[in-house]
Amino acid sequence: MSPAQKNRHAALLKATGFEDSPALTVQSTDGEIPHGRELSFAWLSGTVMTGLTSVLLMGAALYVSFQGQDTFSTAYEALQISRPERSTLTPTDLSAKSSRLRPITATRSDLEVIEASIRETVDGRDIIRNQPFVRIRATLATAPTSLSENVRPYDPVAILEATQPLPSVGAMDINTDVYGAEVEGEVAVKLAAMPMTFVPPRAISDQSAAEYVRAVVEATFFSDDPVPPTMAYAALAPSVRDLGLGAGGNTLGGVAENVTIMPKTTLASNTALGRSERILTIKERTPLDEVLRRNGFSDTMIRAIDATLQNVFPSTELAAGARLRILFGPSRTANTLVPYRLSIYSHDDATNTDQHRATVALTDKGQYVLGLAPAEIKFPEEDTEEVNVANLPSLYISIWETGRKHDLDDATIERIIGMFAYDLDMTRKVAPGDAIEILETAPDGQQRSELLYVSLKLGNTTRQLYRFATENGGADFFDPDGETGKRFLTRRPLEGGGTLRSRFGYRVHPIFKTRKLHTGVDLAAPSGTPIYASGDGVIKYYKWQSGYGNKVEIQHVNGYETAYGHMSRYVDGLGVGSHVRQGQVIGYVGSTGQSTGPHLHFEILINGNLVDPLSVKLPKDNVLPPQYKAQFAQTMAQINDLMARDPAPVSVAQTN
């Protein structure tokens, strides 16, 4: 570039405002505002820190104002403010556009009052009177709600207290002696010898009897079917009804078979945490508050919903045939589900249609407000509920949830859990379709009921327990074989039951990395958790053992032994030869010996042979004496008759 060109460029730059200036410098005076070409690191740092502080303060203010919530879609989805038109769907329709389809299971929740004529002896006289019983038939809850929010953690040792024999109410304990005929009021029975001149009236004619005998003889001796005569008589037994004697009459009768309904389940899977919808049909006129309370609404929620519905749905009762759709979602404050949305529908019998009456939904502020109707569906005939696999509660929580839904007192629920806890893992998740049946006496003047029968159906297995009292004045619950549900050894002998970390069998050792037999089960728990004696016995080993650390071995009766390893410490006052009782504390969880963390290593040996503590069949703690077998069989037949009876027509209680 020539000098002339340089001068021309310099003139142009000067004309546009550019000029030569000194270089930038950091030599500014501390504490003063920098001027011109001066830079101040102190002022630069202050500006950056001010910006960061402002961002943090604004973020904290927003977090507090939204109460820690990190998602804000509840109100939009619950209220359905704006949505595209969609065709009518059924609850089990798998064609809907969705990536998280949940299976649908049928639910049952029946609390019925049944009446029977009971025979009892009062002051030497036989009295027959009508007595009501309460029967519950329900599927186990598949979602935890506020009903089970305050249930204490599962503790196997508490089972021992809940399953102690009941004191007998009377000489016959709870009377279930069902009389064959129905009576009105109270009837006194007097037994007298039948006169020799008495001739009972004929129930059938001679012609009918002759035809019946001829048919039996021909079928037995002249039939081509090679069936022995005894088998032929058995096969022809039902034909007695051909004589005109109806079943259930005074001459012939029987006990109806108790048929269990298997809920239909749509096969699908969904492991994501989320919501589930429950659809209910009201069977008879029922207060709205009662239905909501039985389905996981707290008293505070019910009052808020009543206030919200006051202008659009002023009725405090739901008519027979009314429908409810309840959408549940995870609570922010507890490990349970809370109602996000409630929709009420009335049923028109004339047109067989369901009309939407009102919808309330939970907002992000925890308030219930009016909302638009959810997407239309075709209501099923039976009650249904979406199953979110991740939300399935443990068997322990599910029994609590179901029991409280049907107004069982806590002591009764604890006894029911205790009766089955020896054979079942109460920490396992409940499965859709699992069900429970209960028979109780009607509440007395002090609103107390006595438990008579419990049946628990898990998968394809049904366990039944009947109440029976012996002459020693105690009443207990026995299965059809005359055995109690209690075992003389508990399978998880530590507070809370622990968490199963390693099962019995061959495995790769976590320390030595070699494949070897794991001789027991490892139940993880925090250090210091109490360890209990699995059963009554005598301590035979009480010191350190290589690999096991602090170890205790207990000798039980009939060749049974149990061992407890990796204890942090022993209980003072115990040693070799000490007698211990089931549930007595013998030590505390630790990680002594060859261990990777605090846990209890628990073993069971039978005649010196190691067995799987979780699956081995253990002997029952109490067996009904042989002299009571016939009386117990009669009690079972009477209870089965009560379970098979139709409910009283005016006393059926709706528990949905």
Side-chain angles (χ1 to χ4, degrees):
M1 180 180 294
S2 63
Q5 291 175 331
K6 290 182 180 180
N7 293 335
R8 189 180 310 112
H9 280 288
L12 290 174
L13 289 174
K14 187 175 182 180
T16 55
F18 290 92
E19 61 180 5
D20 292 334
S21 300
L24 295 176
T25 178
V26 296
Q27 301 299 325
S28 62
T29 305
D30 292 338
E32 295 183 2
I33 300 177
H35 300 283
R37 312 291 291 175
E38 297 178 348
L39 294 177
S40 174
F41 285 111
W43 277 83
L44 180 61
S45 300
T47 303
V48 173
M49 292 300 296
T50 300
L52 291 176
T53 303
S54 301
V55 170
L56 292 176
L57 290 175
M58 287 188 292
L62 290 173
Y63 183 84
V64 171
S65 64
F66 287 114
Q67 299 179 351
Q69 185 181 353
D70 55 2
T71 177
F72 309 102
S73 60
T74 302
Y76 168 77
E77 294 185 16
L79 294 174
Q80 295 289 310
I81 297 301
S82 176
R83 63 178 186 276
E85 294 294 332
R86 62 181 71 179
S87 58
T88 301
L89 302 175
T90 61
T92 55
D93 190 355
L94 300 183
S95 63
K97 183 178 179 181
S98 174
S99 61
R100 295 184 181 275
L101 294 174
R102 300 185 182 90
I104 306 294
T105 182
T107 61
R108 186 179 186 182
S109 181
D110 297 333
L111 189 150
E112 304 165 325
V113 175
I114 55 178
E115 293 182 351
S117 298
I118 302 299
R119 180 172 51 196
E120 60 184 1
T121 302
V122 179
D123 297 331
R125 297 187 308 158
D126 287 338
I127 301 296
I128 300 174
R129 60 182 178 85
N130 276 341
Q131 178 174 329
F133 295 88
V134 177
R135 181 175 62 198
I136 297 173
R137 289 172 172 167
T139 50
L140 290 177
T142 56
T145 67
S146 60
L147 292 173
S148 56
E149 188 172 354
N150 61 345
V151 173
R152 65 181 180 181
Y154 173 62
D155 185 2
V157 177
I159 295 171
L160 301 177
E161 301 177 0
T163 55
Q164 296 301 317
L166 295 167
S168 180
V169 176
M172 294 288 294
D173 192 46
I174 304 301
N175 189 7
T176 57
D177 189 1
V178 179
Y179 187 65
E182 299 297 330
V183 300
E184 294 291 339
E186 191 173 283
V187 177
V189 179
K190 180 181 179 180
L191 299 179
M194 181 179 295
M196 296 299 295
T197 58
F198 175 77
V199 178
R202 293 182 178 182
I204 58 176
S205 65
D206 292 341
Q207 182 181 358
S208 298
E211 292 177 355
Y212 172 73
V213 172
R214 186 182 70 253
V216 171
V217 173
E218 290 178 353
T220 305
F221 299 103
F222 301 101
S223 175
D224 295 333
D225 189 8
V227 180
T230 54
M231 295 298 293
Y233 280 120
L236 288 170
S239 63
V240 174
R241 297 174 182 173
D242 296 337
L243 296 176
L245 301 176
N250 295 333
T251 306
L252 295 175
V255 178
E257 182 181 1
N258 187 13
V259 180
T260 301
I261 299 176
M262 177 63 186
K264 296 182 293 183
T265 302
T266 303
L267 296 179
S269 61
N270 183 7
T271 58
L273 291 174
R275 305 169 183 177
S276 64
E277 187 174 49
R278 183 179 300 174
I279 299 177
L280 308 175
T281 301
I282 305 303
K283 297 179 181 178
E284 66 169 11
R285 181 172 291 274
T286 310
L288 174 62
D289 293 358
E290 180 180 337
V291 176
L292 297 183
R293 188 172 292 106
R294 293 181 186 274
N295 284 275
F297 289 76
S298 66
D299 291 338
T300 303
M301 296 176 183
I302 293 175
R303 288 193 295 269
I305 290 174
D306 288 343
T308 303
L309 292 175
Q310 187 173 4
N311 294 327
V312 296
F313 190 77
S315 175
T316 59
E317 291 189 341
L318 297 173
R323 310 271 196 172
L324 292 183
R325 292 177 62 182
I326 306 174
L327 177 66
F328 289 92
S331 171
R332 303 177 192 172
T333 59
N335 191 26
T336 58
L337 299 181
V338 296
Y340 276 13
R341 184 187 65 216
L342 167 67
S343 298
I344 304 175
Y345 297 79
S346 59
H347 184 74
D348 188 350
D349 293 330
T351 60
N352 195 26
T353 58
D354 298 288
Q355 181 181 3
H356 176 258
R357 297 294 305 276
T359 290
V360 293
L362 184 66
T363 67
D364 292 326
K365 296 181 179 180
Q367 300 174 347
Y368 283 97
V369 299
L370 292 176
L372 299 180
E376 294 183 358
I377 63 170
K378 181 180 179 181
F379 284 99
E381 295 182 359
E382 68 274 7
D383 295 344
T384 62
E385 183 168 356
E386 289 180 340
V387 178
N388 191 320
V389 178
N391 289 344
L392 288 175
S394 66
L395 182 58
Y396 173 73
I397 293 296
S398 182
I399 294 177
W400 271 103
E401 182 85 16
T402 307
R404 286 184 170 177
K405 180 177 181 180
H406 295 85
D407 293 332
L408 295 180
D409 59 83
D410 289 357
T412 300
I413 299 175
E414 288 179 349
R415 173 164 288 275
I416 292 174
I417 292 173
M419 291 190 299
F420 293 103
Y422 287 83
D423 280 337
L424 301 175
D425 181 7
M426 286 292 164
T427 61
R428 53 157 277 193
K429 285 196 172 187
V430 71
D434 291 347
I436 190 171
E437 293 187 354
I438 297 171
L439 182 67
E440 289 186 305
T441 60
D444 57 17
Q446 299 179 353
Q447 296 301 310
R448 292 181 303 184
S449 300
E450 296 291 340
L451 186 64
L452 300 177
Y453 167 81
V454 181
S455 171
L456 198 60
K457 176 180 171 294
L458 303 177
N460 296 323
T461 303
T462 300
R463 293 172 170 83
Q464 298 172 297
L465 292 173
Y466 299 81
R467 177 172 178 149
F468 184 74
T470 56
E471 292 180 355
N472 61 8
D476 212 335
F477 288 83
F478 300 87
D479 63 17
D481 296 327
E483 300 178 341
T484 63
K486 294 178 287 187
R487 304 285 181 176
F488 89 106
L489 293 179
T490 56
R491 302 179 188 271
R492 302 170 77 121
L494 74 163
E495 187 176 279
T499 302
L500 181 61
R501 294 302 187 194
S502 184
R503 293 183 175 273
F504 177 89
Y506 282 93
R507 65 168 186 177
V508 177
H509 196 281
I511 297 177
F512 301 109
K513 307 302 180 183
T514 57
R515 183 172 178 80
K516 59 187 303 185
L517 176 66
H518 186 224
T519 56
V521 293
D522 290 342
L523 303 173
S527 291
T529 300
I531 299 172
Y532 307 104
S534 179
D536 298 351
V538 180
I539 295 178
K540 58 177 290 189
Y541 190 94
Y542 198 80
K543 62 180 180 180
W544 180 279
Q545 183 176 347
S546 177
Y548 289 91
N550 293 326
K551 184 183 181 183
V552 171
E553 295 180 4
I554 300 177
Q555 180 71 53
H556 308 279
V557 297
N558 301 323
Y560 284 82
E561 301 176 41
T562 54
Y564 315 77
H566 305 306
M567 292 184 177
S568 60
R569 61 188 178 91
Y570 301 106
V571 172
D572 296 337
L574 295 180
V576 175
S578 298
H579 290 262
V580 292
R581 301 285 296 176
Q582 188 177 49
Q584 181 177 344
V585 179
I586 59 174
Y588 301 90
V589 170
S591 187
T592 56
Q594 296 170 357
S595 170
T596 58
H599 70 280
L600 167 65
H601 175 82
F602 178 59
E603 296 178 356
I604 294 181
L605 297 88
I606 304 177
N607 296 327
N609 299 315
L610 290 161
V611 295
D612 186 352
L614 298 183
S615 63
V616 64
K617 186 175 182 179
L618 296 172
K620 297 294 178 79
D621 185 53
N622 189 12
V623 179
L624 194 66
Q627 62 266 29
Y628 295 108
K629 292 291 186 180
Q631 188 177 355
F632 177 62
Q634 182 181 3
T635 298
M636 283 197 303
Q638 292 165 348
I639 291 179
N640 290 338
D641 176 67
L642 292 173
M643 292 301 295
R645 288 183 173 232
D646 293 331
V650 296
S651 302
V652 179
Q654 169 70 29
T655 66
N656 285 334

